[in-house]
Amino acid sequence: MAIRAWRNSKGQHARNASGTPVNAVAPLMAPARMSIQATERLLIDTAQRIARQPAGWIVLVLHLSHMPAARPHHRRIARAILQDVAQRQDGKVFSVRNGDLVLLCRETTGLRSQQSGLEPQLLPATLERLLRIDSPDPVRLTSAWRADADPERLVSYATARLADGGAAAPAEEDPVCPTASIDLLANLAADPTSHDLMQRQTAVLLLTGRPRPGDAADGGALRPLFTELGYSIATIEARAGTDGLATADPYLFRHLATRLDQHLLGALATALGGHGPLDALRQRHGVPPLHLNLTLPTLLSDGFACLAAATQAAGVGLGAEIAYSEACGDPGGFARARAVLAESNVTLTLDGVSYLSLTLSQPWALGADLVKFDWSARLQGLGGEERLHLDAALARIGTHRLVLHQADSEAALRWGLGVGIRRFQGRHVDAMLAASRIVSCPKSDECTLRQCVERASAVALGGRAACRNHALLDSAAP
Amino acid sequence: MIAAIRRRAEADTPQDDALRLDALVRESRDAGIARRCLLVSLSSLPRQVLLPHHLRLARDAVEPLAMADRARVFALPNQDLIVVWRGEAQAALAQSLDAVRLLFEDDAALLPDPALLTRVLTLPDDADRLLDIIDTSMRPDPFAATRPAAPGRKLDLGTLATIESALTSADISRMVRRRAVCSRGEAGALRLRWEIRLISIDELTDTLVPGTDITADPWLFRRLTRMLDRRMLALLAAPHELRGAGPLGLSLNVSSVLSPEFLRFDAALSSALRGQVVIGIAAGDLLSDPAAFIFARDFARARQYRLMLRGITAELIDVLPLRRTGLDLVELLWSRELALIDIDAMPLDLRRTVLTGVDTPEALAWATQHAPGFVAGRLALPEDRRRANS
């Protein structure tokens, strides 16, 4: 039943002289340490008691289990809001193991409503508003009903949760990243033979409206724009056995990025000197420019100045990418870096501009040469005003400056082409380039598309060794 | 004479001295009055040399010149001493220069550039240079949480872990500082609107890891601020901590607004203070996790907090207009670049702007001309405090 059903009956149940509802069920006891599924069992008991005397009870279920990208803070804040109402309305919050939160509380009286300022009947709208960004369908996240309108509904819900089994409840605590782990990860990259921890990815300019399998990478529909080179965090983590720790703390991750930058500059300096696996960087005509995603301190360091001079001497084009959040966090540093890059004739790309960041800010005012706009499935569902605002923002940046980043699917490409974007980077682009190579390669009989993609992304010789046509493999990469 | 200098130094603040000197230099420049100045640049000295007894001895060293005809001594906020005089005082000048040189003779190896320790300037020719020196001397903010980076060991992961561990039990209450944010009343006087509570990074460093530059790595420092946020919130949530408190401001990371400590602080907030708390969120933090920021913003707003976008410079005004961020206020950091742009043409609602860093006459003049809704800084104290200081 919709929330409107119990809004209309506010304050209808009888009360005794002390103000306690005459049909009050025994106070809801807070469960202490409970065994597996004890919460679900307690919820069933409570639901059954309420079902016997349902008048005046309100039930609200927040289906966080329907929210695939629920984060610990969603759960923590939602629980606090529900607890607040429960405290004011003689109620209780149950955290069930599938991640849902269940609020059982007394209906609001006129007096209480004035005192609390946060009435249960307003909760669904409040929660929907809060969770709308992270939930594809926030309206369906909450179910609220008056217990007397459907006494058995809560019992059914609780029984279903008990039947779900005993999987661990989602965490309310943010993941913790021990500082020692970051040292471990950074030190792995310090090994001068660690090129197998690097990867590369080529961005392209799509010259025709519709990409076709087999489009040639050189002179056909796909023209390589640049090749981004950097450490693969996933590979480093796999090597260290610290799954997900590198990115668990955004600040430690940026610290790690700064340290990895130093190793990257060192590796490139060696490569440009003519030793190592990056030989393709040297004196090759027709290779797309090299792009490096670097932190501001690195860009302002002597090491980068040396690299910029060396790439210029070697005839290699160079581009630098700066995280949008870092540019805004250190505007002075960004302005200095932009001036340094302009002076060195190095292309500046703003990285990490998302749909949400476009709703909050105007990255075009930073004056970058290119802007990497992150693709997400959310973009397909935008309508009305949201779409108009996005279109206006993309127009302000200029489609000739936009690179649709994380273009991992055909849907991403189609969306990008639909808004006039012609520059793409992502796994789908990798696959298109690999398909082009396989079609034109006389030695590709035994190669799969996936193998060709993986070999093209590898920097170390070991990762590319199985390819029998390195010239073609590197044709869209340094 | 020295006693007189000391008596005045005790009665006046260095800011007062700087403002007087600023006026004197402008007068010389505008009226073409010839004066000479000796600058003793004590702020250029390493910290191990810049000890209280060195400062006293430096004042003694300029005594011969301070006794010259029509001489005045000014002690600037960054510890620099300036003696201004008119007429002939060559012998006294030589005597003072010798005395200063002898004073630091034993520490010559520690001086970055002994030649720069003393400089003689001439007015009105060097007026602009001297105004720059005065302006620079006033830049370090005594209310700010940090002082200029001192040479020392840089913060690394191991030291960070040590500090975080120590912070779990350290008494941070004595490290808390307050910084006034004012607005101009109808009669033109500044009145206090709220006080920002912040932890003194200098004191934290001196207490836990002396000799370490804990701001050297910006990302490790940001991680540390997250822990400091939570310690501050825990402190404010303690019983009676906010009894009788007026409107207050906190600078928090987005993740701190969503932390259990914030929820406890929120629960402890009295009904009188609800709606009276301003939460500042840094521009970079806003964009590093926009989804979390939007969630935190909407949650904080539902709880009646006012939200301020922090750290906006001339460069960022156009990047982060307030209407896009959905926040209530914007903190605009004073810099000379502001004076170079047409602020009226920028997407900035000055009524909702808090101009911080009003520490110099130049910044104050800009604030007077453009009248932002709120101001903060050494020269923007509430009327009653300003009177008390003078």
Side-chain angles (χ1 to χ4, degrees):
Chain A
M1 180 176 291
I3 191 78
R4 290 183 189 84
W6 50 260
R7 268 187 194 159
N8 296 339
S9 62
K10 188 167 63 177
Q12 284 179 350
H13 57 274
R15 288 179 175 273
N16 62 20
S18 65
T20 306
V22 292
N23 57 358
V25 179
L28 301 175
M29 301 301 291
R33 285 178 175 276
M34 294 189 296
S35 59
I36 290 175
Q37 290 197 291
T39 301
E40 287 74 8
R41 293 179 202 284
L42 185 61
L43 182 60
I44 288 179
D45 288 348
T46 310
Q48 287 170 340
R49 277 190 290 139
I50 288 178
R52 289 194 288 272
Q53 291 182 309
W57 283 98
I58 289 170
V59 181
L60 183 145
V61 180
L62 177 61
H63 302 281
L64 287 176
S65 58
H66 294 180
M67 202 168 140
R71 295 163 68 177
H73 66 248
H74 293 136
R75 192 172 169 74
R76 194 162 54 230
I77 299 295
R79 188 204 236 293
I81 291 171
L82 297 182
Q83 291 278 21
D84 195 27
V85 175
Q87 207 167 12
R88 296 167 196 275
Q89 307 289 138
D90 306 328
K92 166 96 188 96
V93 177
F94 294 81
S95 298
V96 289
R97 297 182 76 84
N98 74 343
D100 289 356
L101 295 171
V102 182
L103 167 70
L104 309 179
C105 70
R106 289 291 182 184
E107 206 166 359
T108 312
T109 67
L111 179 62
R112 284 184 178 194
S113 170
Q114 287 167 14
Q115 287 173 339
S116 71
L118 192 57
E119 300 78 29
Q121 59 265 44
L122 299 179
L123 273 179
T126 303
L127 294 167
E128 285 161 20
R129 197 167 52 249
L130 272 178
L131 297 168
R132 73 188 191 285
I133 293 298
D134 299 285
S135 172
D137 190 0
V139 176
R140 296 186 62 186
L141 273 182
T142 53
S143 306
W145 67 93
R146 274 182 47 207
D148 58 0
D150 190 351
E152 291 304 315
R153 186 174 171 185
L154 179 61
V155 177
S156 301
Y157 171 84
T159 306
R161 296 292 73 77
L162 185 66
D164 285 344
E172 268 189 31
E173 296 300 319
D174 297 310
V176 175
C177 176
T179 51
S181 303
I182 297 297
D183 260 338
L184 174 68
L185 297 172
N187 290 337
L188 274 179
D191 182 345
T193 63
S194 65
H195 297 108
D196 54 340
L197 300 176
M198 292 181 193
Q199 66 179 17
R200 57 187 182 173
Q201 189 173 54
T202 298
V204 299
L205 172 67
L206 209 56
L207 294 172
T208 58
R210 289 287 299 276
R212 297 183 306 276
D215 281 344
D218 48 351
L222 300 179
R223 179 190 294 168
L225 275 177
F226 58 82
T227 296
E228 184 181 350
L229 180 73
Y231 282 99
S232 161
I233 296 299
T235 308
I236 293 177
E237 284 222 281
R239 178 81 51 88
T242 57
D243 188 28
L245 278 184
T247 52
D249 184 309
Y251 305 141
L252 292 183
F253 177 67
R254 297 302 301 177
H255 166 79
L256 173 65
T258 306
R259 291 172 65 176
L260 293 180
D261 281 355
Q262 301 307 318
H263 301 317
L264 185 64
L265 292 189
L268 286 170
T270 305
L272 288 163
H275 313 288
L278 301 174
D279 288 350
L281 280 173
R282 289 180 296 119
Q283 298 295 345
R284 287 195 47 148
H285 298 290
V287 292
L290 177 68
H291 268 216
L292 304 175
N293 194 320
L294 299 172
T295 58
L296 286 174
T298 306
L299 282 169
L300 294 168
S301 68
D302 292 342
F304 180 77
C306 291
L307 177 72
T311 49
Q312 199 165 20
V316 177
L318 185 63
E321 301 185 0
I322 301 176
Y324 184 35
S325 60
E326 188 169 359
C328 290
D330 181 5
F334 174 76
R336 287 196 300 279
R338 188 178 52 196
V340 165
L341 296 177
E343 200 175 320
S344 313
N345 203 22
V346 175
T347 309
L348 165 59
T349 301
L350 212 51
D351 180 44
V353 174
S354 64
Y355 164 67
L356 288 180
S357 61
L358 273 187
T359 66
L360 297 167
S361 62
Q362 305 184 155
W364 54 86
L366 285 176
D369 300 309
L370 291 172
V371 173
K372 280 192 175 178
F373 179 54
D374 294 340
W375 155 258
S376 74
R378 175 202 299 266
L379 295 171
Q380 292 173 295
L382 296 179
E385 205 172 330
E386 289 175 325
R387 181 57 195 264
L388 285 174
H389 282 154
L390 176 63
D391 287 347
L394 296 180
R396 286 298 302 271
I397 295 171
T399 49
H400 62 291
R401 292 185 192 279
L402 280 163
V403 179
L404 191 67
H405 194 216
Q406 295 167 8
D408 295 341
S409 64
E410 189 177 346
L413 253 72
R414 284 182 188 283
W415 185 89
L417 291 170
V419 297
I421 295 175
R422 291 291 181 271
R423 290 160 179 79
F424 298 91
Q425 184 182 357
R427 287 202 298 269
H428 194 69
V429 175
D430 298 343
M432 290 168 70
L433 288 169
S436 300
R437 287 191 297 270
I438 285 179
V439 166
S440 58
C441 179
K443 299 175 183 174
S444 65
D445 297 351
E446 294 173 10
C447 300
T448 66
L449 188 70
R450 184 176 171 181
Q451 284 171 337
C452 194
V453 167
E454 288 176 351
R455 289 165 190 166
S457 74
V459 171
L461 287 173
R464 308 182 317 139
C467 176
R468 292 179 292 155
N469 191 347
H470 280 190
L472 183 60
L473 191 68
D474 290 335
S475 64
Chain B
M1 184 67 186
I2 287 297
I5 295 171
R6 284 194 185 132
R7 270 201 305 277
R8 210 185 66 211
E10 283 158 16
D12 294 348
T13 64
Q15 289 75 36
D16 295 330
D17 255 13
L19 291 175
R20 284 194 198 99
L21 179 59
D22 185 90
L24 185 73
V25 174
R26 288 174 195 277
E27 180 202 58
S28 281
R29 184 188 60 186
D30 299 342
I33 300 170
R35 289 187 170 96
R36 299 193 76 196
C37 314
L38 170 65
L39 165 67
V40 184
S41 186
L42 297 173
S43 60
S44 67
L45 297 175
R47 286 178 72 189
Q48 59 266 45
V49 178
L50 197 59
L51 299 172
H53 72 273
H54 285 123
L55 299 178
R56 281 197 305 276
L57 292 170
R59 288 197 192 104
D60 290 345
V62 299
E63 185 181 4
L65 195 55
M67 293 173 71
D69 184 32
R70 289 176 288 178
R72 293 172 69 181
V73 180
F74 300 88
L76 299 183
N78 66 348
Q79 316 280 18
D80 284 357
L81 284 175
I82 293 187
V83 188
V84 183
W85 73 97
R86 292 182 68 182
E88 172 54 43
Q90 203 55 40
L93 172 63
Q95 205 179 339
S96 289
L97 287 171
D98 275 351
V100 173
R101 185 175 52 77
L102 285 171
L103 180 61
F104 297 104
E105 197 172 45
D106 292 343
D107 300 314
L110 292 173
L111 303 185
D113 184 353
L116 290 180
L117 183 59
T118 54
R119 272 181 286 172
V120 180
L121 304 167
T122 304
L123 292 174
D125 296 351
D126 292 325
D128 289 342
R129 203 165 151 202
L130 196 49
L131 287 173
D132 265 355
I133 290 168
I134 298 166
D135 191 58
T136 305
S137 82
M138 298 182 81
R139 283 187 184 276
D141 184 355
F143 300 94
T146 57
R147 65 184 161 222
R153 201 157 49 93
K154 286 186 177 177
L155 182 65
D156 56 21
L157 285 165
T159 312
L160 175 68
T162 304
I163 297 174
E164 289 187 339
S165 171
L167 271 175
T168 56
S169 57
D171 173 17
I172 63 153
S173 59
R174 65 186 174 80
M175 302 177 192
V176 175
R177 300 286 181 272
R178 299 178 185 205
R179 179 187 202 178
V181 177
C182 301
S183 67
R184 210 165 275 287
E186 286 178 8
L190 289 175
R191 66 187 181 93
L192 180 67
R193 296 300 297 271
W194 69 87
E195 279 187 323
I196 297 172
R197 308 268 182 118
L198 68 170
I199 293 174
S200 163
I201 297 302
D202 293 345
E203 187 151 352
L204 175 83
T205 306
D206 291 345
T207 306
L208 299 180
V209 280
T212 303
D213 179 3
I214 64 173
T215 60
D217 184 313
W219 298 108
L220 295 185
F221 180 65
R222 287 278 298 279
R223 152 102 176 197
L224 180 61
T225 62
R226 194 173 53 191
M227 178 137 200
L228 295 176
D229 286 352
R230 296 179 186 193
R231 293 288 287 124
M232 172 71 95
L233 289 166
L235 175 71
L236 295 178
H240 313 307
E241 184 63 32
L242 288 177
R243 178 183 286 176
L248 62 107
L250 297 169
S251 297
L252 299 176
N253 287 281
V254 167
S255 61
S256 301
V257 178
L258 302 173
S259 68
E261 289 81 0
F262 185 86
L263 292 172
R264 284 192 279 276
F265 164 76
D266 180 68
L269 205 58
S270 67
S271 55
L273 270 181
R274 192 165 291 284
Q276 304 286 316
V277 179
V278 177
I279 296 174
I281 292 175
D285 203 24
L286 179 152
L287 289 169
S288 63
D289 188 349
F293 161 73
I294 293 170
F295 185 83
R297 178 194 68 190
D298 294 348
F299 166 62
R301 179 157 292 155
R303 296 289 189 166
Q304 300 170 43
Y305 294 93
R306 295 173 75 200
L307 297 164
M308 179 171 77
L309 178 62
R310 284 177 50 224
I312 295 300
T313 59
E315 177 96 25
L316 286 182
I317 292 174
D318 221 9
V319 181
L320 284 159
L322 207 51
R323 63 183 159 76
R324 273 192 183 259
T325 62
L327 301 182
D328 305 296
L329 299 162
V330 58
E331 179 202 39
L332 183 63
L333 302 176
W334 161 255
S335 73
R336 285 180 167 174
E337 284 72 33
L338 276 184
L340 303 176
I341 60 174
D342 179 5
I343 200 74
D344 297 325
M346 303 300 277
L348 187 73
D349 181 351
L350 280 165
R351 289 167 304 173
R352 294 161 68 191
T353 299
V354 181
L355 181 72
T356 60
V358 185
D359 303 329
T360 62
E362 206 178 350
L364 187 61
W366 193 92
T368 306
Q369 183 187 349
H370 296 284
F374 307 92
V375 286
R378 247 189 319 251
L379 299 186
L381 295 175
E383 189 64 21
D384 50 348
R385 275 188 219 173
R386 204 177 61 79
R387 265 199 232 108
N389 283 349
S390 61

